């Protein structure tokens, strides 16, 4: 009796071993992991670079806000004090496009009986400074542009240009206008505007700073309503 051959016997089959990886698969996996690691590292570097730029921009913005706050505070407290060395009532506040000198209370309030003389100045080296000195200190010639011995505060660095303008009555003619020079006037400017530009490539932006002082005329002067200028002494 003949039985079917494959009823009790099973032909031998060669099964692939499925518990591991071939060398090619391992190499491909390692390549994929390397590419993924490079992409992740580049992403982390980009995030870190963006965070650093954001921090630098935030610090730059903070420095501009601080500089404007100091300047606004000082100019707002300008005192319209007449120059005692002048034969006619002249306010001790003088400026041009590059600097502005005026009197105001001291920053630290350490000298309540005297005012401080301030000078806002842009330097050739690219600094925006505000100098201060006791207005009663007779060691200094306040008619000079010299600031040796004055206390400097650096407000900003890497400044390309500083332009200061003054709004007030014209010396000739009727009415008021922005002017680039304010010298030997009978009253302080009604407004002071400070414009600053930074060097090419510098991302900082300086919004125009326009300040009105709380004291707009001296007490030794009677203003002519027609011209806005100082007339006869009160």
């Amino acid at each position: 009796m003949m039985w079917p051959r494959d009823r009790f016997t099973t032909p031998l089959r060669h099964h692939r071993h499925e518990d591991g990886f071939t060398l090619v698969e391992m190499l491909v996996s390692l390549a994929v992991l390397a590419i993924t690691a490079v992409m992740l590292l580049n992403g982390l570097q980009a995030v870190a670079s963006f965070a650093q730029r954001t921090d630098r921009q935030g610090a730059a913005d903070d420095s501009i806000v601080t500089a404007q706050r100091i300047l606004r505070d000082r100019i707002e407290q300008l005192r319209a004090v007449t120059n005692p060395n002048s034969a006619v009532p002249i306010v001790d506040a003088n400026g041009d496009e590059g600097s502005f000198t005026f009197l105001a209370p001291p920053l630290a309030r350490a000298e309540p009986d005297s005012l401080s003389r301030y000078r806002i100045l842009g330097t050739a080296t690219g600094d925006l400074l505000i100098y201060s000195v006791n207005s009663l200190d007779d060691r200094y010639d306040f008619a000079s542009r010299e600031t040796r011995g004055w206390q400097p505060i650096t407000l900003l660095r890497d400044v390309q240009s500083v332009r200061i303008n003054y709004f007030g009555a014209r010396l000739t003619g009727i009415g008021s206008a922005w002017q680039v020079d304010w010298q030997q006037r009978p009253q302080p400017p009604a407004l002071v505007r400070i414009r600053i530009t930074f060097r090419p490539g510098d991302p900082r932006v300086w919004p125009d700073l326009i300040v009105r002082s709380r004291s707009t005329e001296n007490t030794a002067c009677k203003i002519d309503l027609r011209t806005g200028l100082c007339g006869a002494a009160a």
Side-chain angles (χ1 to χ4, degrees):
M1 184 177 178
M2 298 293 294
W3 299 96
R5 183 176 180 181
D6 58 347
R7 182 175 180 179
F8 298 106
T9 62
T10 301
L12 295 176
R13 296 177 182 176
H14 297 284
H15 295 280
R16 180 182 175 185
H17 187 64
E18 300 178 352
D19 295 335
F21 297 96
T22 66
L23 178 61
V24 173
E25 291 173 333
M26 291 181 65
L27 292 176
V28 170
S29 299
L30 290 174
V32 171
L33 288 174
I35 293 172
T36 303
V38 170
M39 293 176 63
L40 180 60
L41 180 61
N42 289 337
L44 291 175
Q45 289 176 342
V47 171
S49 178
F50 175 77
Q52 291 176 353
R53 289 197 302 270
T54 302
D55 289 343
R56 287 196 297 268
Q57 185 62 48
D61 292 342
D62 289 344
S63 66
I64 290 176
V65 170
T66 300
Q68 292 205 350
R69 184 176 299 153
I70 292 173
L71 293 173
R72 180 179 298 278
D73 178 71
R74 293 298 88 199
I75 296 173
E76 282 182 345
Q77 298 193 59
L78 180 153
R79 295 292 187 266
V81 178
T82 55
N83 189 334
N85 298 321
S86 175
V88 294
I90 296 297
V91 168
D92 202 343
N94 300 284
D96 52 31
E97 275 199 304
S99 68
F100 180 43
T101 305
F102 58 96
L103 296 173
L107 278 169
R109 306 290 180 178
E111 301 164 348
D113 296 331
S114 65
L115 295 174
S116 289
R117 186 177 300 269
Y118 294 93
R119 181 167 296 165
I120 302 168
L121 180 67
T123 69
T125 57
D127 292 335
L128 174 64
L129 301 172
I130 181 168
Y131 288 91
S132 66
V133 68
N134 188 324
S135 63
L136 299 181
D137 196 330
D138 58 5
R139 294 176 298 174
Y140 303 101
D141 178 11
F142 295 129
S144 169
R145 296 182 65 88
E146 178 63 52
T147 55
R148 185 176 302 171
W150 295 36
Q151 295 298 317
I153 297 177
T154 302
L155 300 178
L156 289 174
R157 297 189 183 279
D158 297 324
V159 172
Q160 185 177 43
S161 67
V162 177
R163 293 183 60 191
I164 307 175
N165 298 127
Y166 314 91
F167 187 85
R170 295 185 176 96
L171 284 175
T172 58
I174 300 175
S176 299
W178 285 106
Q179 301 165 60
V180 298
D181 187 81
W182 198 270
Q183 305 284 342
Q184 303 296 307
R185 302 292 185 97
Q187 63 267 354
L191 299 170
V192 177
R193 180 178 66 199
I194 301 176
R195 286 178 170 172
I196 288 177
T197 59
F198 296 100
R199 293 171 180 172
D202 194 319
R204 292 178 294 174
V205 176
W206 174 276
D208 273 5
L209 178 65
I210 301 177
V211 186
R212 179 186 296 275
S213 66
R214 297 171 185 171
S215 177
T216 57
E217 62 183 58
N218 69 69
T219 57
C221 174
K222 183 178 180 180
I223 300 299
D224 186 325
L225 297 179
R226 185 180 64 86
T227 65
L229 300 177
C230 184

